[in-house]
Amino acid sequence: MGGGFYISKFVGVVGIVFGAGAVATVIALAVVYSQEVAKNEAVSPTNGGSTVKPPVTTPGGSTVVPQVTTPVIPTTAPSNEAWDKYRLPDTLKPEHYNLTLWPRLTVNAQGLYIFTGKSYVVFQCVKETDLILIHSNKLNYTKWGDDHLAKLSALGSTPVPTIKKSWLQPTTQFLVLELNGKLAVGESYQLDTVFVGELADDLGGFYRSVYLEEGEEKVVATTQMQPTDARKAFPCFDEPAMKAIFHITLLHPPTTNALVIMQKCCIMILNKTSSYCPTSFDETKKMSTYLLAFIVSDYDYINSTSDNVLIRIYARKKAIADGQGEYALNKTGPILKFFEKYYNATYPLPKSDQIALPDFNAGAMENWGLITYRETALLYDPNMSSNSNKERIATIIAHELAHMWFGNLVTLRWWNDLWLNEGFASYVEYLGANEAEPDWNIKDLIVLGDVHRVFAVDALASSHPLSSKEEDIQKPEQISELFDAISYSKVRSSIFSTYLNTFAYDNTVYTDLWDHLQMAVNSTGTSLPTGQTVHSIMNRWVLQMGFPVVTINTATGMINQQHFLLDPATAGSVPPSDFSYVWIVPIRWMKTGLLQKQTWLEDKTVTGESWILANLNVSGYYRVNYDNANWERLLNSIPVINRAQLVDDAFNLARAKYINTTLALRTTKYLRREREYMPWESALDNLDFFYLMFDRSEVYGDMQAYLKYQVEPLFKHFENITRNWTDVPNGHTDQYNQVNAIRVACSTGMEECQTLTKGWYSQWMKDSAKNPIHPNLRTTVYCSAIAAGGAAEWEFGWTQFKAATIAIEADKLRFALACTKQPWLLNKYLEYTLDATKIRKQDATSTIVYIASNVVGQSLAWDFMRDRWSYIFTQYGGGSFSFSNLINGVTKRFSTEFELKQLKQFQADNSEVGFGSGTLAVSQSIERTTANIKWVAENKKSVQEWFYAEVPK
Ligand SMILES: *[C@@H]1O[C@H](CO)[C@@H](O)[C@H](O)[C@H]1NC(C)=O
Ligand SMILES: *[C@@H]1O[C@H](CO)[C@@H](O)[C@H](O)[C@H]1NC(C)=O
Ligand SMILES: *[C@@H]1O[C@H](CO)[C@@H](O)[C@H](O)[C@H]1NC(C)=O
Ligand SMILES: *[C@@H]1O[C@H](CO)[C@@H](O)[C@H](O)[C@H]1NC(C)=O
Ligand SMILES: *[C@@H]1O[C@H](CO)[C@@H](O)[C@H](O)[C@H]1NC(C)=O
Ligand SMILES: [Zn+2]
């Protein structure tokens, strides 16, 4: 479509932008894919021909940070020996593994759940060496006849050197073998080990998950390897580039299922009296260790086939019997087909298993052919699940399936390029989910879901560039730390939106993919700024942190850019950048309703028009500011398009002092007339900050009154269209906005709303078998009723939580239980979070954060966390997402000097124990608190006056 045309709907623009983007994505990916397939085929598994350099990127889950165990036998002085470094030397290359594992699903005489294993790895020597380093963490080895921890043999004709010394190096997680002679270049060797490990409940490596079924405790043995826990299951070269082929055998009780990423090749029941049977699996494709999975359970499954791919959904027997796997089964086939078309490549494996686990740290993990999920991310029940639960299931499935190609087939070389892998999957998950649920307009939600989220973090001076240097990311906890919002969402926002759209497209692996992109640009004739290439443009976005604010001055015609920092005072602490925090910005705007052609910022000037609005739908990764006169024009006739973005930009520009806080607040005045979800959600997200800063101060009353006044018509609107709350609104986002209406109306004290929610809840309390509350509304209704109620409401909620048969329902209650206003109940609930029989370990940190979000629970949670820090850290400290979320969540309200002092004290007091994957979160919290203190001092008075003045008396 040509130069400028009139667009009246937000959605229209999104369609155009993404429609164009997809073409380039396909081209670039197809090229990478075909090259990688060609390389894989060229390598024969045993005689290890060429060295495959995995071009790209990958994954998306998270793990437990390995803890440092007590040292074992450090032989030599603590020097800079190879085994003191975290990275493997480049001397050996694995070819294949033969691994047999036997998890015991009952405790042994010592009261431990364990697994035993026998494994050999065949590897090739590519550089002469007399040292073998292979990863191993928390495994105990059986010694061989020569008293060493492993047996080494040669597969070729050269004699094998004998082992001089063997020991474990716990800090760097290696099994070390020093040899009496050198291994010969080009020769293959075999290393045999026999070992035992604990099948702990720590959610990492080979671990156990426990659930109750008909009063009986059932144990599932399962895995989570990414990023660095395969070494906790068996000795292996545990780096993503060390791809190999795996032959896996599981020993398990005859009554259970064994699942591995490949299909079974045979099942032999040893004999009737034996307590286990071995199941062997087809050899895997050449793959990275972090993508392995093996599971023993007595689950059931449902299945289907799609284009010869076997699709199975596994879950607890009851969940399968209740049909909770059906939705996932229904959607998997179509999404797989979509990606096959999108990537122009068939699904690389014969089967796709997906399994729901009661205990799982991340949301899901893209193990190749055996994807693991939290129950809430896979199981759906129309009577229990809300539309947002359903959306999450569809998008997570799409995300993980996207990785089957991008990430698993083509893998990042090292974790510093994680962003590419995750960004890619996070982008295409929307396309896949859109295919599964075309009526949802799911692509619109990308702006709220990701762009706004990452803008918030990336505007801090303590942010980090997308791409780190390979040598900066070494230790396991540093790797875990990378799995944060920036990796997940910034790519989605910056690369795909800004660049890819601009050029007409797509992605990159850092250097390899840039080339493909350049080709795409050349062939489509996209014009780049003079003297620039794809490399030079993209480097500015991935090698420096943050993003710019573009200021458009319609009075002078000037346009300029500046590094956007939420707190301008932190400018001094921003690390230097090779690009001086200047970006090459694609820009497109709408002038008085006419959409202009995309160009580059440096080529542009503006002239005074009635109004100008840039960065429609945040298709570029930057914020936009205007001169006051243009702001006024926009406010007076808030254009239908981009209302959500305008609100979000205004609030953030105010935070960074580009504009007055009251100007930002003025963008919310029209909400009384607004019925759409996106602008409401955007405004509520931003007002959340005002609540956090002021809900313990005298501003609170006026703010509540203002918001109550604004939400009234929305509440009435939904009351009408749902015929007094009996129908469900049609649109997907209308259903979301109905929840907003009730949540805000009730929490700002609208009596009619509170009566409604309390009534529903007490009706349920009278007959717990009949829950009258629609699944969409449950979270907010439970919360509102429990907040208004006392011990009886809370205890009823707790009982229902324990009795819930679907995790999705349990999660709603777990959230709502944190809403009570009774400090003693909140304290009791906090204690429960560290008792795994009450709250699962996977949920502990998020429950503490829920409690901290409650104004009454805030200080209780903070005291609790400080008090138990070293316990929480050792027991729960792993989850890369959850741990930084805990620190950020508990401290997000901090806005006083006293709290800042406490926070710094907390940092100092625990420097010994450390913060693991939450290290960055601690410094971000300090930075945020400092900024909050200043903000409150500067804005409190004017904000209160504004709210006061805006409510009709
Ligand atoms: C793996 O090792 C077992 C014995 O430990 C052997 O029976 C099996 O044939 C081996 N598999 C392969 C593919 O080498
Ligand atoms: C490994 O050895 C250590 C030290 O002897 C012991 O405490 C631990 O329980 C052992 N682990 C297993 C799973 O046997
Ligand atoms: C059956 O298995 C048990 C335990 O593994 C073994 O002791 C026994 O000899 C086996 N019996 C036969 C007939 O193979
Ligand atoms: C599903 O599994 C059952 C039992 O193994 C099998 O009989 C059936 O053919 C499978 N269905 C499909 C569609 O693969
Ligand atoms: C799955 O698909 C079947 C057949 O189209 C349909 O009857 C069923 O309602 C679907 N289930 C869910 C939960 O979507
Ligand atoms: Zn992912």
Side-chain angles (χ1 to χ4, degrees), residues 520-716:
V521 165
N522 295 346
S523 70
T524 57
T526 307
S527 70
L528 303 184
T530 321
Q532 301 293 346
T533 61
V534 171
H535 282 258
S536 66
I537 295 171
M538 297 301 277
N539 282 347
R540 288 173 185 256
W541 294 90
V542 300
L543 296 179
Q544 58 186 352
M545 66 182 210
F547 55 87
V549 50
V550 169
T551 303
I552 299 176
N553 190 327
T554 55
T556 64
M558 296 289 287
I559 308 180
N560 57 51
Q561 61 164 301
Q562 204 179 347
H563 181 190
F564 182 81
L565 285 171
L566 207 46
D567 180 1
T570 54
S573 60
V574 169
S577 157
D578 291 348
F579 306 100
S580 316
Y581 293 104
V582 173
W583 289 264
I584 296 173
V585 183
I587 192 160
R588 177 184 227 193
W589 60 51
M590 181 173 270
K591 253 190 200 170
T592 325
L594 255 6
L595 186 64
Q596 310 290 302
K597 204 166 143 229
Q598 161 103 50
T599 48
W600 301 90
L601 187 147
E602 54 201 39
D603 303 338
K604 276 266 182 188
T605 52
V606 283
T607 47
E609 290 287 329
S610 78
W611 54 262
I612 194 160
L613 179 65
N615 200 18
L616 303 170
N617 307 310
V618 208
S619 54
Y621 186 64
Y622 51 86
R623 292 200 178 276
V624 189
N625 189 17
Y626 308 92
D627 56 304
N628 268 330
N630 194 57
W631 270 115
E632 288 298 334
R633 288 192 291 264
L634 286 172
L635 281 179
N636 288 334
S637 61
I638 286 213
V640 203
I641 343 157
N642 250 42
R643 288 178 303 215
Q645 184 51 27
L646 210 54
V647 170
D648 197 63
D649 270 346
F651 275 95
N652 282 278
L653 291 166
R655 285 282 293 284
K657 301 202 193 142
Y658 283 88
I659 62 174
N660 282 334
T661 303
T662 48
L663 175 65
L665 286 170
R666 282 172 57 200
T667 63
T668 67
K669 274 181 68 176
Y670 89 107
L671 287 174
R672 264 183 82 84
R673 288 179 279 125
E674 180 64 86
R675 302 291 175 264
E676 296 280 327
Y677 167 70
M678 302 273 288
W680 263 106
E681 184 64 19
S682 187
L684 293 174
D685 275 354
N686 282 293
L687 287 171
D688 255 359
F689 174 72
F690 285 66
Y691 273 97
L692 290 175
M693 294 304 102
F694 295 132
D695 64 5
R696 298 174 292 174
S697 81
E698 65 272 26
V699 183
Y700 182 68
D702 294 317
M703 187 165 62
Q704 284 284 80
Y706 171 72
L707 207 57
K708 182 175 161 190
Y709 173 71
Q710 294 297 81
V711 82
E712 250 171 8
L714 191 69
F715 184 82
K716 291 285 175 204

Side-chain angles (χ1 to χ4, degrees), residues 680 684 711-712 714-716 718-719 722 724-727 729 734-750 752-758 760 773-774 776-785:
W680 263 106
L684 293 174
V711 82
E712 250 171 8
L714 191 69
F715 184 82
K716 291 285 175 204
F718 281 107
E719 187 176 40
T722 61
N724 205 16
W725 313 106
T726 52
D727 289 349
D734 292 333
Q735 294 177 28
Y736 284 165
N737 216 23
Q738 182 194 17
V739 176
N740 276 339
I742 295 180
R743 178 170 64 86
V744 177
C746 278
S747 70
T748 53
M750 186 194 292
E752 191 187 337
C753 178
Q754 291 178 341
T755 309
L756 182 72
T757 59
K758 278 191 291 194
W760 277 332
I773 309 160
H774 189 277
N776 284 352
L777 308 181
R778 284 186 187 171
T779 304
T780 202
V781 170
Y782 295 169
C783 176
S784 159

Side-chain angles (χ1 to χ4, degrees), residues 98 100 118 120 247:
N98 183 339
T100 302
K118 206 170 78 173
Y120 67 72
H247 302 264

Side-chain angles (χ1 to χ4, degrees), residues 108 110 112-115 138-140 196-199:
N108 66 9
Q110 288 76 48
L112 282 184
Y113 287 88
I114 60 157
F115 60 90
K138 296 187 176 169
L139 298 174
N140 294 344
V196 53
E198 189 184 346
L199 193 69

